[in-house]
Amino acid sequence: MPGIPKGLLRLCRLGSKRRNHNSSADPESGQNGNHDSTKEITGSPRPIEKIAGIPDDCSGSNASINGATAQSCNGISGEVIEMAFPCLRRPLSCLEEGNKDSNVALMILNQPLDALRQQLTVLWNRSVLKAVVDGGANRLYECVIGNHQNYVPDLISGDFDSIRPEILLYYQSKGAKIVKTPDQNYTDFTKCLRLVVDTIECSKQEVDCIVVLGAFGDRLDQTLANINTLYEANLITKVPVYLLADGSLGCLLRPGKHVIEVNTGLESDWCGLVPIGHKCRQVTTTGLKWNLDHQPMQFGSLISTSNTYSEGAEVVTVQTDQPLLWTMGIRSDKSK
């Protein structure tokens, strides 16, 4: 796994915990270790343990991500990254079981995973980095009962108001890195995404996409917060971030032209374009049943939902002057 670089400390005030524990501690055994020995370190953040192969400081380094030069680990521009050339996407390639060339960074949020078991297995096996956000650790543990040893994440982060203490202790005893991110100005998802992006960049790991499992749940406010994090992702990484749930995928298209391949066989028959956060002055598409031709899109006016693909279409093109949310369905008979 890529190491967690010390340069992550610039992102947020990180707390860390030390525990004396039995390395065989398991929530199912009822042996939770000595939690009285837990001590949270406050004040100056404790440096994250150095991992072999990762430099002490990523200052001034550039990471190669999918052949493109990423921003320095020591600076974030704060501006949306625009494209000078068409962006080719194949969103559902991350779920193609025969696709062994796709490198994924996997994130798991605090939503039930029972309906996503097949997707979890496929993504886990091709992930170069596996990160779990707070209570998502509970969901992962419950989803893989009887096979816990094969599903130990590389990283668990959050303010830890949701994760069960015995599960946190179990994964820590198995080698997961535990990073507390107490800053309440950002969601746990946003803070974990920053950790994941910096880990990818500073380790110079090639990653095709970041896939987030459990992104759409039963709370609308949290779903909207997850979509908001896509906008924040546009500020810090060129790697596409895909929000994934049972039956649907969402991602944010940057300003520019996109070529989206829809011929994996995993696509269901619906798709949509939603202008969340900005008015799009001009959007043009091809490959859809109901295409747009230099048309404006905004809430209170035109949005494109319940659209579908034109007959025989293998690609969809989207030209937009503002960030635009792309959504698409996943065939249930292929994803379960």
Side-chain angles (χ1 to χ4, degrees):
M1 94 175 216
I4 302 172
K6 291 183 179 179
L8 294 177
L9 298 176
R10 69 180 172 79
L11 293 171
C12 50
R13 296 177 61 192
L14 303 179
S16 62
K17 294 186 178 182
R18 292 174 178 167
R19 285 184 172 87
N20 296 324
H21 58 269
N22 185 330
S23 63
S24 63
D26 190 317
E28 291 184 337
S29 69
Q31 297 176 357
N32 299 336
N34 183 3
H35 291 284
D36 292 336
S37 66
T38 300
K39 180 180 179 182
E40 181 172 350
I41 300 177
T42 58
S44 299
R46 175 174 172 264
I48 298 174
E49 176 185 354
K50 186 178 186 302
I51 299 174
I54 301 302
D56 287 341
D57 185 3
C58 290
S59 176
S61 64
N62 288 329
S64 175
I65 299 178
N66 235 1
T69 301
Q71 299 177 21
S72 166
C73 292
N74 215 27
I76 295 174
S77 69
E79 298 178 355
V80 174
I81 304 168
E82 297 192 20
M83 302 172 301
F85 50 87
C87 177
L88 177 64
R89 290 175 179 258
R90 188 177 173 87
L92 294 184
S93 66
C94 63
L95 295 176
E96 289 182 287
E97 295 192 26
N99 181 7
K100 299 181 180 180
D101 298 326
S102 179
N103 288 335
V104 173
L106 176 63
M107 299 180 64
I108 297 175
L109 304 188
N110 187 11
Q111 292 294 332
L113 296 174
D114 291 343
L116 297 169
R117 290 179 190 271
Q118 181 61 35
Q119 294 170 337
L120 172 63
T121 300
V122 172
L123 292 167
W124 192 275
N125 290 335
R126 66 182 46 164
S127 295
V128 297
L129 176 65
K130 306 168 184 72
V132 176
V133 179
D134 205 340
N138 303 337
R139 306 292 189 171
L140 175 63
Y141 190 89
E142 293 161 358
C143 183
V144 296
I145 289 176
N147 198 20
H148 296 134
Q149 69 277 7
N150 292 323
Y151 286 86
V152 176
D154 300 312
L155 167 68
I156 301 175
S157 74
D159 57 13
F160 300 147
D161 63 344
S162 302
I163 189 171
R164 287 159 46 192
E166 66 272 19
I167 289 180
L168 178 63
L169 180 59
Y170 172 76
Y171 284 129
Q172 186 178 41
S173 74
K174 297 301 182 182
K177 298 298 177 182
I178 310 300
V179 181
K180 186 171 185 180
T181 55
D183 189 346
Q184 295 300 304
N185 290 320
Y186 301 94
T187 67
D188 284 340
F189 172 27
T190 299
K191 292 178 286 186
C192 188
L193 178 64
R194 290 173 171 180
L195 295 173
V196 167
V197 168
D198 257 33
T199 301
I200 293 169
E201 292 186 354
C202 291
S203 64
K204 296 180 170 56
Q205 178 70 58
E206 286 196 8
V207 171
D208 299 301
C209 60
I210 299 170
V211 179
V212 185
L213 272 184
F216 309 126
D218 56 2
R219 280 185 52 177
L220 178 59
D221 62 331
Q222 291 181 344
T223 297
L224 292 174
N226 292 342
I227 294 172
N228 180 67
T229 296
L230 292 180
Y231 283 83
E232 299 188 59
N234 262 9
L235 305 179
I236 62 174
T237 182
K238 294 179 180 180
V239 180
V241 179
Y242 297 139
L243 302 183
L244 194 66
D246 183 29
S248 62
L249 176 146
C251 64
L252 193 65
L253 306 181
R254 306 177 193 276
K257 184 173 182 178
H258 299 262
V259 180
I260 304 170
E261 296 185 355
V262 292
N263 59 354
T264 66
L266 298 168
E267 296 82 6
S268 68
D269 59 358
W270 67 267
C271 59
L273 290 164
V274 186
I276 294 180
H278 298 273
K279 175 182 178 179
C280 297
R281 292 181 293 272
Q282 287 194 3
V283 179
T284 299
T285 67
T286 65
L288 301 177
K289 183 175 182 179
W290 294 284
N291 280 307
L292 300 162
D293 184 11
H294 297 88
Q295 291 172 261
M297 300 182 73
Q298 69 178 83
F299 271 92
S301 182
L302 175 65
I303 66 174
S304 176
T305 61
S306 300
N307 209 328
T308 190
Y309 309 107
S310 60
E311 185 176 356
E314 295 193 352
V315 298
V316 170
T317 67
V318 180
Q319 177 85 40
T320 178
D321 66 330
Q322 293 292 332
L324 185 61
L325 184 69
W326 165 260
T327 63
M328 62 191 303
I330 306 171
R331 288 177 56 179
S332 59
D333 60 337
K334 293 284 187 179
S335 61
K336 293 183 182 179

